[in-house]
Amino acid sequence: MTLFEKHNKTLTRALVEIENRGFWSPYFEIPSSKVYGEGVKDAANKSFKASLNSKFEIKGLETSKYIGAETSPYGFDLGITYPSLPSQDLVDASLIAMNEWKKLPLDKRAGICLEILDRINKRSFEIANAVMHTTGQPYMMSFQAGGPHAQDRGLEALAYAYKQLNKIPDETHFEKPMGKNPPIVQKKKLKVAPKGISLVITCSTFPTWNSYSAVFASLLTGNSVIYKPHRNGILPIALSVEIIREVLEENGVDKNLVSMIVSDNREETQNLVKNKKVKIIDFTGSTTFGDWLENNAPQANVYTEKAGVNCLVIDNFNDLKAMGRNISMSLSLYSSQMCTAPQNIFIPKDGIVSNGQKISFDEVANIIASSVEKLLSVEDRAIEILGAIQNPEISKRVDEAGKMGEIILESKDIKHPIFENATVKTPIILKVSSKDKELYHNEHFGPVILLIETESREDSLKVWQETVELHGAITAGVYSDDEEYLEKVEDIAVEEKVNLSVNLTGHILMNHSAAFTDFHATGDNKAANCALSNDNFVSGRYSVVTIKKDA
Amino acid sequence: MTLFEKHNKTLTRALVEIENRGFWSPYFEIPSSKVYGEGVKDAANKSFKASLNSKFEIKGLETSKYIGAETSPYGFDLGITYPSLPSQDLVDASLIAMNEWKKLPLDKRAGICLEILDRINKRSFEIANAVMHTTGQPYMMSFQAGGPHAQDRGLEALAYAYKQLNKIPDETHFEKPMGKNPPIVQKKKLKVAPKGISLVITCSTFPTWNSYSAVFASLLTGNSVIYKPHRNGILPIALSVEIIREVLEENGVDKNLVSMIVSDNREETQNLVKNKKVKIIDFTGSTTFGDWLENNAPQANVYTEKAGVNCLVIDNFNDLKAMGRNISMSLSLYSSQMCTAPQNIFIPKDGIVSNGQKISFDEVANIIASSVEKLLSVEDRAIEILGAIQNPEISKRVDEAGKMGEIILESKDIKHPIFENATVKTPIILKVSSKDKELYHNEHFGPVILLIETESREDSLKVWQETVELHGAITAGVYSDDEEYLEKVEDIAVEEKVNLSVNLTGHILMNHSAAFTDFHATGDNKAANCALSNDNFVSGRYSVVTIKKDA
């Protein structure tokens, strides 16, 4: 059985689900030993510990130089070093591998990519530890978002690419009728040509989730991939690269098709970005570097997800208790270190109406604050929601945030019961005015939440729209029982191209973005120039060369 | 019957043919009165004459300022002036129209677009005159390329856009199983959001053919369109805009959805390009302006087709007579003023082998030159092939080309029997060395042909590849009976992403690029960053906004 046959059922279903966009998650999200095997979790924990303070060797990437200085947000140095090869060596090897890879038939490439995803899935516990101790995510999220949900995203992108390529015939028969004369006949070959090397630059918070879409979209369309992980997020990528290269080698594919650059030389990275053989760049991270990439790699298609300012509008709404519960989770999950978490909450200064009663601004603020307090009141549970603060800058930001406005809820440090040096902080919630644009027009990445007093419910819409128009956003939310108001909100969401959550009171948060149902970002505001995943995410990664001949 | 129902058969077939990519041309290419109606041609001729030396009024674009100074390459001034509205007025009106248009259901938009194409088709004779007397194309080409073939391209792009949008559900049902607990259920609305105003900047040689793809891709995906025609190619666009606006109005759509800017103020055009509401720019024309656009409109997706250097490699080949015949047409058609025409012909300095016999460089050169001479020996027929020289710069280029190398065939001026002031010139063919890179690494747009002496058949491939890599190309051609050699040529074509014609000896030329079968350009070398049409040509023109709600 070929790998394509082995995984054909998964691919077939994926092709259906990218068009349904209901619920589908092919990789199981529960870290269950029934699915993932007895003892696998323990083995992964042991292997994580064994990997600390040593060299991470990747077969075929041996070198004399090993570097790395990752620190776990849970308060210890990983002490792992990784092979650091000169970028030009990686580029040269990447091109050789791509040149063979692109000639494989589509189904062969698809089979291998699907096998890779399957094999990465089987090692989700290992990925989970790596994600947890580089990003600071709580364990469950590290497993889910770092493992199966990231794999879902990889498969989703692969399916979009397959859908397009599968509709391009390898050969066509051209026959033009010429009236009474014989027809003109030609034979044409259509060859899918990859763009070139695909450089995937990953972030420190969701290294696998934010990159697998790019990797599998690029690979299926015939490109080679060089990963450039964040300096504090190397381990999850190194593990992924190791697994990918294993599967490639097993299948007789030059494993340099996927490699990784770890460099301590900033200039070398910048040269790699500008290398004329690097034709695709995917990036998640800061606006500064994202903008630099967009302007400094004219030879490449640059796909970026940068900072945005996610907003939530609170209007007249009856079920404030359920609202508070939902929002509290939105604000607390992974300490708001998600690109989908809300930061700005717009509330009219004169308050709202709930069940016929006037509820003042401060009362609404209090509902949110007390919901957060309640959610995080039990420290053991709080830790499993908050995770750890990813880096000292975020920590400092929280500590200094009090200066920005009236404090509605103080941030509290929580002592982690196992990792005593972990930095765990509850969110700080502040009240500011809608005039304080210099404050709320910025992203304060991390658990810094602004409750913004607007002039009125109409003004909330105005200031929200202005924020998104000027600074972009990945998500938006609204609570309102007024259908007319909701229509206006929806119109603004469509105008500013931001995904909108309406009146969420259950398990789903506005932060959630699941493959096969949620397009992650729309790709059309300042926060991101691409969406995960859609036709546009894959269509620029290849071209078609036609070879025509008289027949 | 709705317009969608009326044209559904055409659309259904188009959706099949974009995947077959064999032969299909829905709009009839013969200027036959049986298809287009008795007397239609004569009426079009009369209406063209009547339009000369007067104002071209477009309903709803009335203004006090009318400008225009087009000259027919057939040797007379058109004397037509067009409404010149301030760009900001056009932008404002465009946005209002788009805001309504984007809310129409997909099938409604599709029906109206298909009706527009049908109505443009019915007026192909009028378009033909307009194209002929702005571009200098011969009459038959003006009709075919300006009319039905351009309409084919419009429909092709519309089909790609429809294919994508039609797979995006308006609503989805999300239902996530939760084991023993009730499932999580959400309802999601998926709204297609247009990018924004689509600015279509057209060229002086193929104003309709090169722009209808952009117009219909943009319109179907919900955008509005502002046309910016070349200063000497306004009439075909004005006619198209007039027809489009008629159909829009008939169907209750704000006709400002499609408008046209004619300006004598360079700065105003540049400001329009940079206007933050202009989110899509399609451009065909010079590399200088194309590069400027790519670097000066960061708010927009910029699709460009610029200059390239198309090459033809001649290797050992038996049927030299048929080769000469095919090449002679390639070099002569519309005086090589096609972005698909070959300019550089690489021939080994020691000649080639044909039917076991050595044929020297000069003999090959002579076969080509004499074939051109023969093809153009009868002046009446020559004129119907050559058309007129589009502008004085091209004329000057031909006159001065003799300096570049040894003249193999002189350019000859031909007197046009009807338009006595038309500039009609046969191609000049020159012999240069493969060392003269400064000559053949440039595009000499128009009937200037370089036969390039290479060191060997292998060297031909090297210098060809280098030319395309450095300067891009829309097309490439080869003549060789050696399968191994052809394999190498195909590999280079795929590597440099250039469409290749192999051993053409019949009616089809390497210049030909037909909708539904030939991707025009690959979109992945320096000559063009997009192809007409494919998934990538349409996928960046819209995004999808998701609105999710608990159910």
Side-chain angles (χ1 to χ4, degrees):
Chain A
M1 187 160 68
T2 66
L3 289 177
F4 185 75
E5 287 161 352
K6 178 179 170 190
H7 299 293
N8 192 29
K9 215 174 134 185
T10 305
L11 177 61
T12 305
R13 177 79 187 271
L15 290 167
V16 171
E17 296 297 344
I18 56 170
E19 291 177 1
N20 283 345
R21 302 210 68 87
F23 169 79
W24 190 54
S25 176
Y27 302 104
F28 198 62
E29 71 174 1
I30 314 288
S32 146
S33 57
K34 279 186 199 144
V35 171
Y36 287 96
E38 284 300 334
V40 173
K41 183 178 177 179
D42 289 345
N45 291 345
K46 269 185 206 150
S47 114
F48 172 68
K49 275 177 199 150
S51 73
L52 298 176
N53 302 306
S54 62
K55 274 187 187 173
F56 193 107
E57 307 261 18
I58 298 177
K59 196 178 160 193
L61 294 180
E62 294 82 5
T63 173
S64 56
K65 185 176 175 188
Y66 278 72
I67 57 176
E70 291 158 296
T71 298
S72 169
Y74 289 92
F76 58 93
D77 291 339
L78 300 193
I80 308 175
T81 58
Y82 304 88
S84 173
L85 282 88
S87 67
Q88 192 57 50
D89 290 5
L90 293 171
V91 164
D92 293 344
S94 194
L95 288 173
I96 292 169
M98 177 171 61
N99 215 27
E100 293 306 312
W101 174 249
K102 75 180 183 189
K103 290 176 183 163
L104 295 184
L106 173 61
D107 286 357
K108 175 97 183 172
R109 287 204 303 270
I112 293 170
C113 286
L114 289 160
E115 175 71 9
I116 290 170
L117 280 165
D118 189 46
R119 293 278 285 278
I120 289 177
N121 175 251
K122 291 192 165 55
R123 292 176 68 178
S124 294
F125 283 108
E126 287 170 73
I127 302 271
N129 285 320
V131 168
M132 178 175 176
H133 288 293
T134 49
T135 68
Q137 287 177 24
Y139 183 78
M140 184 60 105
M141 183 191 254
S142 300
F143 182 87
Q144 294 187 334
H149 295 174
Q151 296 144 21
D152 288 350
R153 281 284 177 209
L155 178 61
E156 178 190 46
L158 183 152
Y160 275 102
Y162 188 87
K163 180 185 82 162
Q164 285 182 15
L165 297 189
N166 193 41
K167 294 290 187 192
I168 301 164
D170 293 333
E171 289 196 358
T172 70
H173 176 81
F174 172 93
E175 186 163 339
K176 180 176 180 174
M178 297 298 286
K180 288 166 195 158
N181 298 313
I184 297 173
V185 184
Q186 286 203 316
K187 210 179 105 175
K188 303 188 185 193
K189 288 191 260 187
L190 277 67
K191 303 229 177 195
V192 170
K195 251 336 215 196
I197 294 174
S198 168
L199 178 64
V200 180
I201 305 176
T202 56
C203 65
S204 59
T205 49
F206 289 90
T208 58
W209 193 96
N210 265 118
S211 70
Y212 284 175
S213 302
V215 168
F216 289 94
S218 282
L219 285 180
L220 195 71
T221 49
N223 305 280
S224 58
V225 169
I226 299 178
Y227 251 124
K228 163 75 183 79
H230 187 278
R231 67 182 180 286
N232 206 67
I234 308 174
L235 187 57
I237 302 311
L239 271 169
S240 304
V241 169
E242 184 189 45
I243 300 165
I244 295 170
R245 289 169 66 97
E246 272 171 23
V247 178
L248 292 174
E249 189 171 32
E250 281 169 27
N251 288 283
V253 176
D254 183 342
K255 55 188 177 299
N256 287 322
L257 187 68
V258 177
S259 62
M260 176 177 84
I261 181 161
V262 180
S263 175
D264 47 9
N265 181 345
R266 203 190 163 102
E267 209 180 311
E268 187 173 30
T269 307
Q270 292 188 346
N271 286 342
L272 180 58
V273 161
K274 295 175 185 182
N275 188 303
K276 69 175 184 169
K277 298 295 182 185
V278 170
K279 301 284 279 179
I280 303 171
I281 299 176
D282 288 271
F283 168 75
T284 319
S286 73
T287 298
T288 315
F289 192 48
D291 288 346
W292 185 86
L293 284 171
E294 288 173 15
N295 293 317
N296 285 278
Q299 86 290 353
N301 286 355
V302 180
Y303 301 89
T304 56
E305 187 196 313
K306 302 176 289 189
V309 184
N310 302 326
C311 302
L312 182 55
V313 171
I314 299 182
D315 180 48
N316 303 333
F317 191 65
N318 289 338
D319 196 353
L320 294 181
K321 199 174 152 190
M323 176 193 88
R325 211 167 43 220
N326 187 280
I327 293 179
S328 70
M329 190 53 130
S330 267
L331 304 181
S332 304
L333 190 61
Y334 184 30
S335 302
S336 256
Q337 297 170 121
M338 300 177 76
C339 59
T340 51
Q343 169 186 293
N344 293 345
I345 303 181
F346 296 110
I347 307 163
K349 67 176 181 189
D350 293 333
I352 60 167
V353 177
S354 181
N355 296 310
Q357 281 202 301
K358 195 82 192 169
I359 310 287
S360 72
F361 178 97
D362 288 343
E363 284 171 302
V364 177
N366 185 50
I367 288 169
I368 295 170
S370 59
S371 302
V372 170
E373 262 194 308
K374 191 175 164 201
L375 176 71
L376 304 175
S377 57
V378 181
E379 294 205 345
D380 277 4
R381 191 179 65 183
I383 281 162
E384 293 309 320
I385 294 168
L386 294 167
I389 298 296
Q390 204 275 328
N391 69 59
E393 264 182 60
I394 298 174
S395 206
K396 194 172 155 218
R397 189 176 299 135
V398 178
D399 295 343
E400 293 175 356
K403 291 184 291 196
M404 287 200 286
E406 182 191 330
I407 297 176
I408 301 289
L409 184 70
E410 293 272 12
S411 169
K412 230 175 46 179
D413 287 349
I414 295 183
K415 188 98 185 155
H416 199 289
I418 301 167
F419 301 106
E420 56 180 18
N421 295 320
T423 311
V424 182
K425 284 177 180 297
T426 65
I428 179 167
I429 303 181
L430 300 151
K431 173 176 172 179
V432 305
S433 154
S434 63
K435 291 175 190 70
D436 299 332
K437 291 187 185 174
E438 75 287 3
L439 295 180
Y440 71 84
H441 274 195
N442 277 305
E443 187 192 50
H444 307 278
F445 191 77
V448 177
I449 314 303
L450 306 177
L451 306 186
I452 298 149
E453 263 192 343
T454 66
E455 294 304 308
S456 63
R457 54 199 295 252
E458 294 304 329
D459 186 49
S460 293
L461 298 186
K462 208 181 122 227
V463 293
W464 165 51
Q465 176 160 19
E466 186 188 51
T467 308
V468 182
E469 189 189 347
L470 292 175
H471 306 287
I474 307 282
T475 59
V478 63
Y479 287 91
S480 175
D481 289 324
D482 177 348
E483 283 303 323
E484 215 175 289
Y485 193 80
L486 286 178
E487 260 180 49
K488 284 185 204 161
V489 172
E490 291 188 9
D491 281 351
I492 293 171
V494 173
E495 201 166 328
E496 301 306 332
K497 287 72 170 279
V498 61
N499 291 324
L500 177 70
S501 292
V502 178
N503 298 343
L504 298 189
T505 52
H507 290 286
I508 302 277
L509 310 176
M510 65 180 272
N511 315 32
H512 286 141
S513 173
F516 294 102
T517 183
D518 299 310
F519 293 110
H520 179 65
T522 64
D524 195 18
N525 68 48
K526 290 199 176 165
N529 75 3
C530 64
L532 305 181
S533 286
N534 58 14
D535 278 314
N536 197 42
F537 187 70
V538 299
S539 65
R541 294 173 196 261
Y542 66 92
S543 64
V544 177
V545 175
T546 308
I547 296 161
K548 65 181 180 187
K549 228 179 196 167
D550 299 328
Chain B
M1 187 159 66
T2 65
L3 290 179
F4 184 76
E5 286 161 351
K6 177 178 171 192
H7 299 293
N8 192 27
K9 216 175 131 185
T10 304
L11 177 60
T12 305
R13 177 79 187 271
L15 289 167
V16 171
E17 296 296 344
I18 55 171
E19 292 178 0
N20 283 346
R21 302 210 68 87
F23 168 80
W24 189 52
S25 177
Y27 302 105
F28 197 62
E29 70 174 2
I30 313 286
S32 144
S33 59
K34 279 185 197 144
V35 172
Y36 287 95
E38 284 299 334
V40 173
K41 183 177 177 177
D42 290 344
N45 291 345
K46 269 186 205 148
S47 114
F48 173 69
K49 275 176 201 150
S51 73
L52 298 176
N53 302 308
S54 63
K55 273 188 189 174
F56 192 108
E57 308 260 16
I58 299 177
K59 195 176 161 193
L61 295 180
E62 294 82 5
T63 174
S64 57
K65 186 176 175 187
Y66 279 71
I67 57 177
E70 291 158 296
T71 299
S72 169
Y74 289 93
F76 59 93
D77 290 339
L78 300 192
I80 309 176
T81 58
Y82 304 88
S84 172
L85 283 88
S87 66
Q88 193 57 50
D89 291 4
L90 293 172
V91 165
D92 294 344
S94 194
L95 288 173
I96 292 169
M98 177 171 60
N99 214 27
E100 292 307 311
W101 174 248
K102 74 179 182 188
K103 291 176 184 163
L104 296 184
L106 172 62
D107 286 357
K108 175 99 184 172
R109 288 204 303 271
I112 293 170
C113 286
L114 288 159
E115 175 70 9
I116 290 170
L117 280 166
D118 189 48
R119 294 278 285 277
I120 289 177
N121 174 252
K122 291 192 165 56
R123 293 174 69 177
S124 294
F125 282 108
E126 286 170 75
I127 302 272
N129 285 320
V131 168
M132 178 176 176
H133 288 292
T134 48
T135 69
Q137 287 176 26
Y139 183 78
M140 184 59 103
M141 184 191 254
S142 300
F143 182 86
Q144 295 188 333
H149 294 173
Q151 296 145 21
D152 288 349
R153 281 283 177 209
L155 179 60
E156 179 191 44
L158 184 151
Y160 275 102
Y162 188 87
K163 181 186 80 162
Q164 285 183 16
L165 297 188
N166 194 40
K167 295 291 187 190
I168 300 165
D170 292 334
E171 287 195 359
T172 70
H173 175 81
F174 172 92
E175 186 163 339
K176 181 177 180 174
M178 296 299 284
K180 289 165 193 159
N181 298 313
I184 297 174
V185 184
Q186 286 204 316
K187 210 179 104 175
K188 304 188 185 194
K189 288 192 259 188
L190 277 66
K191 304 228 176 193
V192 170
K195 245 352 212 185
I197 294 174
S198 168
L199 179 65
V200 180
I201 306 175
T202 56
C203 64
S204 58
T205 49
F206 288 91
T208 58
W209 194 95
N210 266 118
S211 69
Y212 284 173
S213 301
V215 168
F216 289 94
S218 281
L219 285 181
L220 194 70
T221 49
N223 305 281
S224 58
V225 169
I226 299 178
Y227 251 125
K228 163 76 184 78
H230 187 276
R231 67 182 181 285
N232 205 67
I234 309 174
L235 187 56
I237 301 309
L239 271 169
S240 304
V241 169
E242 183 189 45
I243 300 166
I244 294 170
R245 289 170 65 97
E246 272 171 24
V247 178
L248 292 174
E249 189 170 32
E250 280 169 25
N251 289 282
V253 176
D254 182 342
K255 55 187 177 300
N256 288 322
L257 187 67
V258 177
S259 63
M260 175 176 85
I261 180 158
V262 179
S263 176
D264 47 9
N265 180 344
R266 202 189 164 101
E267 208 180 315
E268 187 173 29
T269 307
Q270 293 188 345
N271 287 342
L272 181 58
V273 162
K274 296 175 186 182
N275 189 304
K276 69 177 183 166
K277 298 295 184 187
V278 170
K279 300 284 279 179
I280 302 170
I281 300 175
D282 288 271
F283 167 75
T284 319
S286 73
T287 298
T288 314
F289 192 46
D291 287 346
W292 185 87
L293 285 171
E294 288 174 14
N295 294 316
N296 286 279
Q299 85 289 355
N301 286 354
V302 180
Y303 302 88
T304 55
E305 186 194 315
K306 303 176 288 191
V309 184
N310 302 327
C311 303
L312 182 55
V313 171
I314 298 183
D315 179 50
N316 303 332
F317 191 67
N318 289 339
D319 196 353
L320 293 181
K321 199 176 153 188
M323 176 192 88
R325 209 166 46 219
N326 186 282
I327 293 179
S328 70
M329 190 53 129
S330 266
L331 304 181
S332 304
L333 189 62
Y334 183 31
S335 304
S336 256
Q337 297 170 122
M338 300 176 77
C339 59
T340 50
Q343 168 188 291
N344 293 345
I345 304 181
F346 295 110
I347 307 163
K349 68 175 180 189
D350 293 334
I352 59 167
V353 177
S354 181
N355 297 310
Q357 280 201 302
K358 196 80 192 169
I359 309 287
S360 71
F361 179 97
D362 287 344
E363 283 171 303
V364 177
N366 185 50
I367 288 168
I368 295 170
S370 60
S371 302
V372 170
E373 262 195 307
K374 190 175 165 199
L375 177 71
L376 304 175
S377 57
V378 181
E379 294 205 344
D380 277 4
R381 192 178 64 182
I383 280 160
E384 293 309 321
I385 294 168
L386 293 167
I389 298 294
Q390 204 275 329
N391 69 61
E393 263 181 62
I394 298 173
S395 208
K396 196 171 153 217
R397 189 175 301 135
V398 177
D399 295 343
E400 293 175 357
K403 291 186 291 194
M404 286 201 285
E406 183 190 328
I407 297 176
I408 301 290
L409 184 69
E410 292 271 12
S411 169
K412 229 176 47 182
D413 287 349
I414 295 182
K415 187 98 187 153
H416 198 288
I418 302 166
F419 302 106
E420 53 181 21
N421 294 321
T423 311
V424 182
K425 284 179 181 295
T426 65
I428 178 168
I429 303 181
L430 300 152
K431 173 178 174 180
V432 304
S433 154
S434 64
K435 290 175 190 71
D436 299 332
K437 292 186 183 174
E438 76 286 5
L439 295 179
Y440 71 85
H441 274 194
N442 277 305
E443 189 192 51
H444 306 278
F445 191 77
V448 177
I449 314 302
L450 306 178
L451 307 185
I452 297 149
E453 262 192 340
T454 65
E455 294 304 308
S456 63
R457 55 200 293 251
E458 294 304 328
D459 186 50
S460 293
L461 298 187
K462 208 180 121 226
V463 292
W464 165 48
Q465 176 159 17
E466 186 189 51
T467 308
V468 182
E469 189 188 346
L470 293 175
H471 305 288
I474 306 283
T475 58
V478 62
Y479 288 91
S480 175
D481 289 324
D482 177 349
E483 282 304 322
E484 215 175 289
Y485 193 82
L486 286 178
E487 260 180 49
K488 284 185 204 162
V489 172
E490 291 188 10
D491 281 351
I492 293 171
V494 173
E495 200 165 328
E496 301 306 331
K497 287 74 169 279
V498 61
N499 291 323
L500 177 71
S501 292
V502 178
N503 299 342
L504 299 189
T505 52
H507 290 286
I508 303 277
L509 310 176
M510 65 179 273
N511 315 31
H512 285 141
S513 173
F516 294 102
T517 183
D518 299 310
F519 293 110
H520 179 66
T522 64
D524 194 18
N525 69 47
K526 290 199 175 165
N529 74 3
C530 65
L532 306 182
S533 285
N534 58 16
D535 278 313
N536 197 43
F537 187 70
V538 300
S539 65
R541 295 174 195 261
Y542 66 93
S543 63
V544 177
V545 176
T546 308
I547 297 162
K548 64 181 180 187
K549 227 179 197 169
D550 299 327

